[in-house]
Amino acid sequence: MSLSSSVSAWLLVLLCATSGAYCLRRAGRSGGGPAAGEAAMGFGMALMAVPLRLGGDWQTPVLGAVFCAAALHAVWLLRGGPHHAHHLVGSLTMVYMALASGAGTGGHGHGRDAGLPLLTGLLLLYYAGYVVLGGARLVTVGGPGTPAGPGEVIRACRLTMGMGMLAMLLTM
């Protein structure tokens, strides 16, 4: 792994962990809900993005189980309406990436040939659209000099995780 890709990976870890921490704080105040799932997603993405394999092949099954649980939580949230479908897509994407990264290189890191090209391409399109639309919504919220409110910070956190997903999919 080159120095620049290692630095990029650690920046992605930091970004995802920070988003996870913010969502965890939000979940503590609101009693869980979507923020708890977003916190799990942020921390899981941070762990998956760590460029070092931390002792053995435990990461693939553990991350797979965590994101399967997050997918079940997202299905539960769908009772409240289809606006929670993104959480389900995100959780299933993380299951896919955990399995593909473990299988693609014998469980020792992200492999270039890991995953199904068509599925990876569709997920790349989904997250590219999500990031572009999320960025456009964030830009149109306030004008220059307008202080960011809690709604904008939540949108920025979600946009950050969408960009992280896009970056992780690009490495597959």
Side-chain angles (χ1 to χ4, degrees):
M1 176 177 277
S2 72
L3 178 62
S4 64
S5 63
S6 180
V7 169
S8 298
W10 283 110
L11 286 174
L12 182 59
V13 169
L14 179 63
L15 197 62
C16 292
T18 302
S19 293
Y22 177 77
C23 293
L24 184 62
R25 185 172 149 229
R26 218 174 78 227
R29 287 191 207 157
S30 66
E38 291 171 352
M41 188 71 63
F43 289 129
M45 288 172 62
L47 183 60
M48 190 179 284
V50 171
L52 310 171
R53 278 309 215 185
L54 305 172
D57 294 334
W58 62 270
Q59 285 175 300
T60 298
V62 169
L63 290 173
V66 166
F67 290 116
C68 281
L72 290 174
H73 182 252
V75 168
W76 178 258
L77 290 176
L78 281 174
R79 297 172 307 120
H83 56 279
H84 294 291
H86 175 71
H87 296 285
L88 181 60
V89 172
S91 298
L92 293 174
T93 301
M94 292 301 290
V95 170
Y96 169 67
M97 287 192 294
L99 293 175
S101 69
T105 61
H108 292 66
H110 294 282
R112 293 266 179 233
D113 298 326
L116 305 170
L118 179 62
L119 181 55
T120 303
L122 290 172
L123 289 170
L124 280 167
L125 285 174
Y126 174 82
Y127 281 101
Y130 181 82
V131 166
V132 168
L133 288 173
R137 286 186 191 128
L138 194 59
V139 168
T140 60
V141 168
T146 305
E152 290 93 312
V153 176
I154 292 168
R155 285 184 179 147
C157 182
R158 289 177 180 155
L159 179 63
T160 298
M161 287 196 287
M163 290 186 299
M165 288 286 236
L166 191 59
M168 291 171 76
L169 283 164
L170 284 169
T171 65
M172 289 184 63

